[in-house]
Amino acid sequence: MIECPIELRPMANTQTRRRRKLGLYLQELRKKAGRTPDDVADLLGISRPTVNRTESGHTRCRRAELQAVLGYYGASEDERAKAVLLWEDAKDDATKIRFPARSSSAFRNFLQAEAEATDLDALDPYLVSGLLQSPDYARAVQSAVALPFEESEAEVGQYVTSRLDRQRRLTGEKPLVMRAFLDESVLTREVGGPKVMAGQLRHLLDLVERRNVEIRVLPFGAGAYGLMSGGFTILGFGDPEDPPAVYLEHAGGGVWVEDEEAVQRYVHMISELGAVALSESATVELIQNNMKAFERR
C-alpha cells in the first residue's frame, strides 16, 4: 500500500463538536449582552469572519481572547466557569484522526464527528459501510472511485488507510455502538472479485460477534424502504445538549442535514427499518450462504 503524509489532528478550519459547543455558548452570551460580531471583532482587533469561525466551531479562540469577551459580555462567575470548561475541552488535540489529503471539508467534519460520537446508525443500499469494510474490499471500492477523479495510487492508499484507522472506534474501552442496515444486494455485488467478497463477508461475520456491533440485512422481499436513493448515517453523542446529526454522503463529499425536524425523520426512518430487516440470526445465515457461494467460485 502506497501512502502519503496524512494530517493526524483536526485542522484549524475543521469544525468539531467540542469547538461547536464552545462557539454556540459564546454566541449565546454575545446575543444576551446585545453585542454583534462586528463589536467583538473591534474589541479583539480581528476580522468578523474570524469571530464567525469561532462561533461556528471551526476554530478555538485564544485564552486571552476568551477572557476579554467574557468581560465584555458581563458574564457571571458561573457563565465564566462554564465557558472556560468548554474552552479547555475544545483543545485541538482532544481527538486525533487521519484525514485523506484531498478530502472535502464536509467529509473532514464528518470524520471528526464520527470520532467523537458514542453511537452510529447507518443505512447502506449499495456498499458495505466504511467502518465494516475489510482492507481488500476498501481498496477495491476506492480504486473504482479513483478512476473518474483521476486519483493516484498514493491517494487511494490514503483513503484506505484512513478508513481502516477509523475502524479502531469499534474496539477499545469505550467502543462506538454501531447498527448497520445493509441491502441484500450489498452481499451479492461482486466488489473486487469472488475472493475479496468472500473475505468481506467473513469479516462481517467476525464483527457481529462484538457486543457493540449489530448488522441487519434488508431482504429483496422487503420491497421499497427508507431512502433508497442513497445511504445516510446518524451520529449520536450521548449528550442531551448535543442532538443527533445526519450525514448524507455523495461523490462530491457529502452534506449535513441541519433542520431538527428533518433529522428526526431520519431517526424515525432508521427505527422503521428494524421492522422490515431480517433478524440478526437470519442475517448471519444469509451472510454465511453468500460467503460460501463466493468461496466456491
Side-chain angles (χ1 to χ4, degrees), residues 90-102:
K91 286 182 178 179
D92 286 352
D93 59 359
T95 305
K96 295 182 180 181
I97 59 176
R98 295 177 185 268
F99 293 126
R102 284 175 58 182

Side-chain angles (χ1 to χ4, degrees), residues 85-226:
L85 183 63
L86 291 173
W87 185 87
E88 291 287 352
D89 195 43
K91 286 182 178 179
D92 286 352
D93 59 359
T95 305
K96 295 182 180 181
I97 59 176
R98 295 177 185 268
F99 293 126
R102 284 175 58 182
S103 55
S104 68
S105 60
F107 186 60
R108 288 174 183 269
N109 289 337
F110 169 72
L111 294 186
Q112 186 63 48
E114 181 186 76
E116 298 172 354
T118 58
D119 55 90
L120 180 154
D121 290 320
L123 167 63
D124 291 275
Y126 309 120
L127 295 169
V128 173
S129 304
L131 291 177
L132 306 180
Q133 291 178 3
S134 69
D136 289 338
Y137 186 95
R139 175 164 286 279
V141 169
Q142 196 57 45
S143 294
V145 173
L147 290 176
F149 290 95
E150 299 182 344
E151 292 179 347
S152 66
E153 179 66 17
E155 289 172 316
V156 170
Q158 289 183 41
Y159 277 97
V160 173
T161 299
S162 173
R163 192 163 302 173
L164 299 180
D165 190 62
R166 290 162 55 197
Q167 295 177 5
R168 297 178 185 176
R169 285 299 333 275
L170 297 178
T171 60
E173 293 184 3
K174 295 182 178 180
L176 180 71
V177 177
M178 181 174 184
R179 180 173 55 165
F181 290 96
L182 304 178
D183 190 271
E184 184 174 351
S185 63
V186 172
L187 306 183
T188 57
R189 183 181 301 279
E190 193 170 310
V191 175
K195 184 177 180 180
V196 170
M197 281 303 302
Q200 174 61 69
L201 298 182
R202 191 178 304 111
H203 184 58
L204 293 180
L205 293 175
D206 291 337
L207 288 170
V208 295
E209 295 295 324
R210 298 179 183 176
R211 297 177 61 183
N212 59 304
V213 177
E214 178 183 341
I215 300 174
R216 305 275 300 280
V217 168
L218 294 158
F220 293 133
Y225 60 82

Side-chain angles (χ1 to χ4, degrees), residues 7-26:
E7 180 63 51
L8 295 177
R9 67 173 59 194
M11 296 178 66
N13 61 352
T14 301
Q15 186 187 67
T16 70
R17 308 300 295 186
R18 293 181 177 92
R19 291 179 195 162
R20 182 170 172 79
K21 289 178 72 172
L22 169 64
L24 288 174
Y25 189 63
L26 292 179

